Amino acid sequence: MTIQIDSLETSTKKIIYSDKCKDILSLSVAEIQELFKSSGILLFRGFGVTHEQMKAFSKQFSSRFTRETNRTRVDSREGFVSLVAQGTHFIEPHCENANTPFRPDAVWFCCGVPPAQGGETLFCDGVQVWEQLSEESKQLFLSKKIRFDFIYSAEQWKHFLGAEATLANVKQMLEGLEGVSYFINEDESVSFAYACPAVIKTKYSNQDAFANNILNAKESVFFENGSPIPDTIISEIEEVTDRLTEEIQWQVGDLVMIDNSRFLHGRRSFSDNQRLIFSIFSYLNF
Ligand SMILES: [Fe+2]
């Protein structure tokens, strides 16, 4: 295993290169776990990873996989490998599903076809974001939770729970969850509010991380009492996040493993129709 630590960048990202297109499944699970705990984001390059291999590799580190509400699925049998979010637009840095109580521990991406131009995956360390926010903003987010308000259509919750799911399953899933309140509408869509802290403890280092979905869901995020988050605060978060954001310029067969309790991810816009990135979301077993 060859590990390069990219010292030109500000983050803790580590790149693991394969010498001779080695099988990624031959890597030491224990070593990868330790590297992941300390760095929070690992890029595996030169292993020629396919989405089937990503599934097999991620399985070694995961207790279970989760689905998304709106992504195209690739593996028809289980439905846990998806294409990344559709469209070619810029996606603001965010933590996956952090606007719901179903935030996965890890986000996995692999590259089938790189974009011709643009389309880099962005990432940003929430620990660094928290360190660089102003004292006023920190005090605000320490004293107040944030709240996300969404409506999930029947189609969306069926995509998440499985095609046979019923409203009884929805109730069963949401009942008693901390921070959740919901209302089932006549058309079977679900109005849903989720209150949570904007700053959380990282899974492995117990550090404060500004790891949330504020920037990616600006129209649907409020403080818990329903008051808006002031524009000046949003601008400050954008400015700090921007400054700390780095990018992955995809090569065919790259695999990225991201700690979703610490790192935010996003994507630059692109204009071609060849970009093919696969994703998996999972809960970790270590
Ligand atoms: Fe995402």
Side-chain angles (χ1 to χ4, degrees):
M1 190 157 84
T2 315
I3 298 162
Q4 178 195 308
I5 300 166
D6 220 327
S7 56
L8 291 174
E9 297 180 345
T10 53
S11 79
T12 51
K13 178 185 78 173
K14 290 188 179 65
I15 306 180
I16 298 157
Y17 289 101
S18 163
D19 320 326
K20 290 179 193 142
C21 206
K22 237 169 99 171
D23 181 359
I24 193 153
L25 293 167
S26 65
L27 293 178
S28 154
V29 170
E31 274 182 63
I32 301 293
Q33 286 177 350
E34 288 315 304
L35 280 172
F36 182 75
K37 284 183 191 173
S38 60
S39 75
I41 180 165
L42 299 176
L43 168 62
F44 300 85
R45 179 158 281 171
F47 294 90
V49 177
T50 62
H51 69 75
E52 289 91 350
Q53 285 171 324
M54 171 169 73
K55 179 80 184 285
F57 185 68
S58 61
K59 225 173 200 164
Q60 300 180 106
F61 301 90
S62 302
S63 53
R64 65 191 174 91
F65 296 102
T66 68
R67 297 191 179 109
E68 289 290 294
T69 51
N70 58 358
R71 289 170 193 246
T72 308
R73 291 191 185 139
V74 178
D75 58 336
S76 51
R77 201 164 50 86
E78 291 178 301
F80 292 118
V81 182
S82 309
L83 297 180
V84 291
Q86 283 164 355
T88 59
H89 55 285
F90 167 65
I91 298 181
E92 299 251 24
H94 62 280
C95 291
E96 200 63 33
N97 254 333
N99 47 3
T100 76
F102 310 108
R103 173 202 289 246
D105 294 332
V107 175
W108 309 75
F109 294 126
C110 77
C111 177
V113 183
Q117 202 186 10
E120 296 87 354
T121 287
L122 304 172
F123 65 91
C124 178
D125 188 346
V127 170
Q128 294 182 350
V129 175
W130 183 247
E131 283 167 359
Q132 297 198 16
L133 284 178
S134 65
E135 273 315 308
E136 296 94 301
S137 294
K138 285 188 189 180
Q139 283 311 319
L140 194 59
F141 288 115
L142 285 172
S143 62
K144 289 181 182 184
K145 283 185 176 175
I146 52 174
R147 192 187 83 202
F148 296 93
D149 292 356
F150 285 105
I151 296 180
Y152 289 104
S153 67
E155 193 191 358
Q156 284 173 318
W157 58 253
K158 282 185 182 171
H159 203 82
F160 184 74
L161 281 171
E164 293 83 39
T166 63
L167 280 171
N169 299 129
V170 172
K171 286 183 193 167
Q172 198 179 21
M173 174 178 71
L174 297 177
E175 216 44 67
L177 283 180
E178 200 186 330
V180 169
S181 53
Y182 69 96
F183 180 82
I184 295 173
N185 302 302
E186 255 169 50
D187 64 356
E188 299 204 329
S189 64
V190 179
S191 299
F192 176 85
Y194 176 58
C196 60
V199 53
I200 61 163
K201 292 288 182 192
T202 58
K203 184 172 169 68
Y204 295 112
S205 51
N206 203 38
Q207 288 173 284
D208 289 325
F210 197 72
N212 57 56
N213 251 9
I214 290 178
L215 293 184
N216 194 34
K218 286 187 211 109
E219 326 67 45
S220 43
V221 66
F222 309 87
F223 285 116
E224 191 177 14
N225 64 6
S227 64
I229 300 175
D231 288 346
T232 50
I233 305 276
I234 298 281
S235 302
E236 183 197 342
I237 299 167
E238 276 176 332
E239 191 267 311
V240 171
T241 305
D242 244 30
R243 193 180 336 129
L244 294 168
T245 292
E246 295 173 27
E247 60 183 37
I248 295 163
Q249 292 178 345
W250 288 108
Q251 296 180 14
V252 179
D254 279 353
L255 169 72
V256 170
M257 175 181 184
I258 301 173
D259 181 343
N260 197 42
S261 73
R262 173 172 169 187
F263 274 82
L264 304 104
H265 64 275
R267 132 183 124 194
R268 289 204 201 288
S269 64
F270 57 104
S271 52
D272 59 88
N273 54 11
Q274 67 174 46
R275 185 184 195 266
L276 194 58
I277 307 289
F278 302 100
S279 59
I280 286 184
F281 309 108
S282 75
Y283 292 95
L284 296 171
N285 62 9
F286 60 99

